[in-house]
Structures are given as C-alpha cells and as structure tokens.
Amino acid sequence: MKIITGKKEFFAGIDAIKFEGPRTDNPLAYRWYDENKVVAGKPMKEWLRFAVAYWHSFNGTGADPFGEATHIFEWDKNADPVARAKDKADAAFELITKLNLPYYCFHDVDVVDYTNDIAENEKRLQTLTQYLKQKQEESGVKLLWGTANLFSHRRYMNGAATNPDFHVLSHAAAQVKAALDATIALGGENYVFWGGREGYMSLLNTDMKREKEHLARFLQASRDYARKNGFTGTFFIEPKPCEPTKHQYDYDAETVIGFLRQYDLLNDFKLNLEVNHATLAGHTFQHELQVAIDAGLLGSMDANRGDYQNGWDTDQFPTNLNELTEAMLIILEGGGFKGGGINFDAKIRRNSTDPADIFYAHIGGVDSFARALITADEILEKSDYRKIRQERYASFSVDTAKAFESGKAGLEELRAFAIAQGEPAVRSGRQEYLENIINNYL
Ligand code: XUL
Ligand code: CO
C-alpha cells in the first residue's frame, strides 16, 4: 500500500510495517499477519478486514476522570477547526497506510469538531468528506463503517432516539442524516448504531416501552433515508449492557436479536459485537459470537479486551491468544463476517506516550488475530475438535430422536424409548481435553 502523508509527516522515523515472519526481532513488523497468505480458502486480509478507529487513535488524549490529557497530538494544534480536522485526517491516513490496514471507522465528531449549529456542522462534515474521499482514492483505504456520536453532547444526557424530549430526538435525527450522507459519499460499507445513552438511569422517571418503540421508529426512519439515498450496505447494532447508562436497551446479542425481530428490522440490520461489551454483559465474547452466528447475524466486531479486575470498559488492545483462538474457531466455522470486519475499538494506555506506541498496539492486535486465525484453521483441519462435538450428539441419529427433532415424537414416544433403553450411560464432556487442543496448536 502506498504511504499517504500530508504536508507534515506525523510519524517520522516509522516506515511501512511489513510481514517479516515469527523469527524477526523487529518490533515494528508483523510476525503472523501475511495479508495474502491463504487460510481456509481465502487470503487472511479477507477474513480479517482490519479497521483503525478514528476516535481512539486520533482523538483519544489519554485524559481520564482524574487527570488531563497526556497524548499531545501534533495534528491537534491548528486553531481553525477545519484545518485541524484536515491535519488529523493526514495523520490518520499516514498511520493507516503505514500499518497497511485496509479500513477505517469514524463517528461524525471524530472527523471534525461540531458546534450547536446543525447547518454549520453539515458544512464542516461535507468539507471533510471531500478531503477523506481524496485520501481514500490516493491510498485505496476504505471506510468499513460510519456512525454518529449521539452520546457526548450535553443534550443527549437522557438519550438520543430514546430521549423523553422530542426536540432532542430531532437533533439526533439531523446528526444521523448527515453521518449517513457522509458514509454514503465515502462508499462506506456499513453503518453502525451503538446506543450510547439509549437506556435509563432510573425506571422511576422512564417509560421503557415507549422509549424502545421510539428507538425502533428511529432505526426504521434511518434505514429508509439511507436506502432512498443509495446506501446498499448493512446497518449494525452494537450491543452493550451498561455504561454510560445503568441499563442499555441493546443489552447483548440475544436482546438485540429479539428487538430486531419484534420491529421487523432483520432484513437490514446485523450485529457489531465488541469483546469487552460481551464481558460486561456477563458473557464470554465467544458466547456472543455464537449467538449472532446461529441467527445468521454476525456482521462485524469491535476488537479490544477488558481488564478482569475492573468492571468497566477499558478498551485495551487484544493480546490474549487463547481467547482469540476460541473466537476465531467460531468465526471460521460460521463462515466469517457478513459485511463487516475487525475494528480496533481500543486505545493505548494513558501513559503510553511514545509516537511508536500506537503502532505497537495495532501490530500486537493484528498479529494476535492473524495467529488465532491460523491456529483455529489448523485445529479445524487437523484435530478431532469438530468430531468430538458431533459425537456428543450421536444419540440423536436414532429414529425416535429424529422424530423428536422434527416435532413428530411426543412425550409418550420418548417415555417408551427411555424404558426400552434403560438408564443412560455416563458420558464425558471432555472439556479439559478440548482446552488442551487449543494450547497444543498455538
Ligand atoms: C463504546 C463503543 C463505541 C462504538 C461506536 O463502548 O464501543 O465506540 O463502537 O459508537
Ligand atoms: Co465499539
């Protein structure tokens, strides 16, 4: 990929990150991500479809509730908001092209600062859309998805589409309209709705039924607008159980699937699953993946990891090979993402302040997924992992079981079968054996 820099080189001294294989001692190289290497019938880059997240990588200042910014970005210095946004776009495309990753994702306000004036915001976003479009054309980098930030501004403190104030809801609609226009103009392949503050803090002041109906209506209206204006991609809902609200309406994959079914949105919407959102919901990420795949709705994923000692969204870069291999087993068996890819919704730590840190973070995440993909494929091809799971259900091959599965055998037939067979044999689930397979192939 051609490296694209602006007037200034923001990551001077760091060149294109190349595949050098597992034996290299270069920390600024890929050890496992060999983009054109064919795994399970297609190149790694097509399975993984990595994206860089604009918000963490180019806006995340390292500020936390206890302290000021620690990442002082060179691209964040121009006093003019549009010029500053262009510097940021230059930095973004420099990083993405140096990392040789195919996609990026953004919220509207990541790209350019917004004011309280809807028309002015639209003008700014359109200007930056033209700028980004040119950078996409020069580099070949594509937009995996766009979205609107409907949670940071003060007006959204009680929600956006689920706000009890219709005036606020209408502002959210204006913002989504502009973000959709930008996504369409940039050839964005998908559009995401993460229900930032779509939920409640207290039921004492909340009509939950009405708010959820408003959310459905808002999604329908957004879908209709986008389709009318030529958007052919997929809409994703990104589940999260809590934070910032105490209870979010898009709690987890099962909840969202039920909601999509109830409001007839299954033809247009799929899921964007985030690792640490799954953990916060009390699930493993693997569980959420399996739920989505079983429903045919695994659209995309936000890659990160939480901290097992904390109960909030730490958005760390993924590094846990064991868990990622389990995830890739499910993704591979499920046939991959439907339209989406792997977006690094992850941030470097507050005290990671070297310009190279953002490279190490992405290299680590990319290589962890690449290695997990290779390992999962080997497990599926060479081990008895699949066979063991199939054999666990072998007893369902008898006629009575088949009749049960197809709804033809009732309790009477099952009772007769139980008596004829006698007490069932004790059969092992062989969990430890299966867990060892993962380590054996890593
Ligand atoms: C927040 C989160 C968001 C969404 C996009 O937890 O994951 O960044 O991915 O709005
Ligand atoms: Co996310």
Side-chain angles (χ1 to χ4, degrees), residues 107 323 414:
H107 302 85
E323 288 180 4
L414 268 56

Side-chain angles (χ1 to χ4, degrees), residues 107-147:
H107 302 85
D108 46 5
V109 302
D110 302 334
V111 169
V112 62
D113 291 351
Y114 268 19
T115 65
N116 284 343
D117 178 338
I118 292 174
E120 168 64 18
N121 295 342
E122 288 168 351
K123 202 170 104 205
R124 287 185 182 188
L125 189 60
Q126 280 158 12
T127 305
L128 264 296
T129 298
Q130 285 317 310
Y131 196 69
L132 290 168
K133 195 171 178 180
Q134 196 187 323
K135 297 218 155 248
Q136 287 185 198
E137 280 160 14
E138 281 171 42
S139 63
V141 170
K142 292 180 281 183
L143 179 64
L144 188 65
W145 49 261
T147 188

Side-chain angles (χ1 to χ4, degrees), residues 53 55-56 107 145 192 194 238-240 272-275 277 301-304 313 315 343-346:
W55 52 104
H56 288 307
H107 302 85
W145 49 261
V192 163
W194 168 56
E238 184 177 323
K240 187 174 183 181
N272 177 37
L273 298 176
E274 179 162 324
V275 181
H277 294 181
M301 74 171 276
D302 273 8
N304 58 22
D313 204 6
D315 284 337
N343 168 47
F344 288 108
D345 193 350

Side-chain angles (χ1 to χ4, degrees), residues 1-12 14-17 30 50-55 57-59 75 84-106 110-111 127-145 182 185-188 358-359 362:
M1 183 180 286
K2 195 170 132 215
I3 292 177
I4 303 286
T5 52
K7 292 184 289 290
K8 215 187 291 175
E9 192 175 0
F10 290 104
F11 302 98
I14 299 178
D15 210 353
I17 308 300
Y30 293 123
F50 288 119
V52 173
Y54 226 87
W55 52 104
S57 293
F58 313 111
N59 297 298
W75 54 84
R84 193 165 66 246
K86 288 183 177 173
D87 286 346
K88 187 162 43 174
D90 289 348
F93 274 74
E94 184 186 330
L95 181 93
I96 300 164
T97 55
K98 283 186 169 175
L99 284 168
N100 188 29
L101 297 181
Y103 288 101
Y104 69 113
C105 301
F106 62 69
D110 302 334
V111 169
T127 305
L128 264 296
T129 298
Q130 285 317 310
Y131 196 69
L132 290 168
K133 195 171 178 180
Q134 196 187 323
K135 297 218 155 248
Q136 287 185 198
E137 280 160 14
E138 281 171 42
S139 63
V141 170
K142 292 180 281 183
L143 179 64
L144 188 65
W145 49 261
L186 291 169
I358 190 73
F359 282 87
H362 282 90

Side-chain angles (χ1 to χ4, degrees), residues 356-427:
D357 287 327
I358 190 73
F359 282 87
Y360 298 138
H362 282 90
I363 290 168
V366 164
D367 265 344
S368 298
F369 271 98
R371 189 168 173 185
L373 172 70
I374 294 168
T375 312
D377 178 49
E378 286 197 356
I379 291 172
L380 291 173
E381 288 304 315
K382 297 183 189 158
S383 80
D384 45 8
Y385 161 77
R386 261 201 272 230
K387 193 164 145 259
I388 289 173
R389 197 174 44 193
Q390 271 161 13
E391 281 174 357
R392 242 186 134 207
Y393 298 86
S395 63
F396 279 82
S397 58
V398 302
D399 286 346
T400 313
K402 283 191 194 143
F404 163 74
E405 284 189 332
S406 60
K408 289 186 190 110
L411 293 186
E412 297 91 334
E413 288 85 352
L414 268 56
R415 176 181 178 273
F417 183 86
I419 289 173
Q421 297 296 312
E423 184 57 25
V426 172
R427 284 186 211 283

